[in-house]
Amino acid sequence: MNPLFANLPTSIFAHMSGLAAEHRAINLGQGFPDFGWPDDVLDTAAEALRSGSNQYAPMRGLPELREAVVAHYGKHQGLDISPEEVTVTSGATEALAAAILALVTPGDEVLLFQPLYDAYLPLVRRAGGVPRLVRLMPPDWRITAEALEEAVTERTRLVIFNNPHNPTSRLFGADELQLLADLCIRRDLTILSDEVWEHIVFDGGTLLPLAGLPGMRERTVKVGSAGKIFSLTGWKVGWIVAPPELSLPISKAHQYTTFATPPNLQSAVAYGLGKADAYFDGMRANFAGARDAMAAALGEAGFVTLPAQGSYFVSIDLDQSGIAADDVTFCERAVREAGVAAIPVSAFYDADPATNVVRLCFAKQPETIRAGVERLQAAKALFQ
């Protein structure tokens, strides 16, 4: 038995979702939407299932999807890439796993930013990497040059970066991205840029892809997700974009994990990536409306929220909301005694966590948001 995986704790998502089911609670914890998917993309997948191939797809992905990724990023982000630089994966997490397994050798140090997506650390450690953590803290979650220099060493080989950021909902600014680019160029580092939330940004914000910065094209591995773009998280269709010298070893790691992704879903995603701007604008507007509805309801219920610039999440600041409890205590009592599940952000740290922030998923129907906030207000009363 492998002690690394055997000794991993149950994920916070499994724990809180299990408690939500046990207590018949409203689940505002796990980040999946219950609205927003485009019916024409579903229809395309159904038609491809009936009329297209249902055998193994090409290992690197259907040519039509790889070409669609190229066209999509050329149009929306100004990136000049080729289909040979695209590998389709079974979800973005598989893309991350393939990249980490391909790029990290035992003893390599990997720079990460905590709080962080919970798959990063187990994958880095499984590859034999040594995590070096930059600690981000509320309310602004900013990256500083001082923190980067303190974390990086001569043994650092890879940076893993997530923008827009889960769990904080931060869209990092151009100044912070330039700090990262300068570090990578100066230290000759590769960066694995997890940009799965790239289209779910609000208030006029725009993702600046790291690969588009001067000197970064040849050292950036970009990860994208159809599940996030089309609100179809169960499809598990993702992709990697990387220059040839990085794409080749990553595709080989992918070859020996999932090998290929369902072809009908790939065909549907290829169709979806070519949709008119109106779809992407409307999708953002719908999610922004849900965010605003949740933030307003939370404010009326006496909660103070942190800015949410991207992703599906709004966070509550417990201290500023007058709640004298840490995030784990609040979430445990909220689900057991008030019937609403949320996620303590301290669970996304490996060490020295912030303990005053609770994350909520706003990608829900209006009635779910209203009922969830009412129960959160009841949870707040438990600490008065």
Side-chain angles (χ1 to χ4, degrees), residues 200-360:
I200 307 177
V201 294
F202 310 120
D203 306 323
T206 302
L207 173 80
L208 298 175
L210 274 171
L213 297 182
M216 292 299 290
R217 173 77 167 76
E218 63 272 21
R219 63 180 70 252
T220 300
V221 177
K222 176 181 172 68
V223 173
S225 166
K228 301 300 189 294
I229 293 173
F230 301 112
S231 302
L232 297 168
T233 60
W235 279 21
K236 299 298 290 181
V237 179
W239 50 80
I240 297 167
V241 178
E245 62 272 19
L246 299 175
S247 185
L248 180 61
I250 292 170
S251 68
K252 289 183 177 179
H254 160 69
Q255 175 177 255
Y256 292 111
T257 49
T258 63
F259 181 78
T261 299
N264 71 306
L265 301 183
Q266 291 194 51
S267 293
V269 171
Y271 163 81
L273 288 175
K275 286 172 72 67
D277 289 350
Y279 164 72
F280 300 97
D281 294 341
M283 177 267 290
R284 279 188 290 273
N286 287 337
F287 282 121
R291 176 204 62 172
D292 294 346
M294 177 174 277
L298 288 167
E300 292 171 2
F303 291 98
V304 174
T305 59
L306 300 179
Q309 299 163 312
S311 80
Y312 295 150
F313 309 111
V314 164
S315 291
I316 293 169
D317 185 322
L318 296 179
D319 290 345
Q320 294 299 312
S321 300
I323 298 172
D326 62 79
D327 57 347
V328 172
T329 300
F330 179 84
C331 289
E332 290 281 343
R333 292 193 67 185
V335 69
R336 296 176 188 275
E337 299 176 48
V340 60
I343 299 293
V345 167
S346 62
F348 298 97
Y349 286 81
D350 191 54
D352 300 321
T355 60
N356 64 308
V357 181
V358 169
R359 194 193 79 171
L360 306 167

Side-chain angles (χ1 to χ4, degrees), residues 111-296:
L111 194 67
L112 305 109
F113 300 84
Q114 60 173 353
L116 39 66
Y117 176 54
D118 63 350
Y120 295 158
L121 283 174
L123 290 170
V124 166
R125 287 171 171 148
R126 175 65 276 175
V130 180
R132 298 282 295 178
L133 296 165
V134 175
R135 183 171 175 254
L136 308 180
M137 293 295 289
D140 54 5
W141 313 105
R142 284 191 61 82
I143 297 170
T144 66
E146 294 75 15
L148 293 177
E149 289 301 328
E150 184 178 342
V152 73
T153 78
E154 294 301 318
R155 295 184 296 278
T156 307
R157 298 291 179 267
L158 180 69
V159 179
I160 299 178
F161 181 62
N162 175 211
N163 189 34
H165 188 251
N166 178 18
T168 69
S169 303
R170 177 85 201 286
L171 180 64
F172 291 101
D175 57 335
E176 294 163 287
L177 299 182
Q178 193 60 57
L179 285 176
L180 275 177
D182 292 344
L183 176 73
C184 290
I185 293 167
R186 186 171 65 253
R187 295 278 191 161
D188 191 24
L189 305 177
T190 299
I191 189 160
L192 176 55
S193 190
D194 179 355
E195 297 177 358
V196 298
W197 301 99
E198 57 199 342
H199 276 294
I200 307 177
V201 294
F202 310 120
D203 306 323
T206 302
L207 173 80
L208 298 175
L210 274 171
L213 297 182
M216 292 299 290
R217 173 77 167 76
E218 63 272 21
R219 63 180 70 252
T220 300
V221 177
K222 176 181 172 68
V223 173
S225 166
K228 301 300 189 294
I229 293 173
F230 301 112
S231 302
L232 297 168
T233 60
W235 279 21
K236 299 298 290 181
V237 179
W239 50 80
I240 297 167
V241 178
E245 62 272 19
L246 299 175
S247 185
L248 180 61
I250 292 170
S251 68
K252 289 183 177 179
H254 160 69
Q255 175 177 255
Y256 292 111
T257 49
T258 63
F259 181 78
T261 299
N264 71 306
L265 301 183
Q266 291 194 51
S267 293
V269 171
Y271 163 81
L273 288 175
K275 286 172 72 67
D277 289 350
Y279 164 72
F280 300 97
D281 294 341
M283 177 267 290
R284 279 188 290 273
N286 287 337
F287 282 121
R291 176 204 62 172
D292 294 346
M294 177 174 277

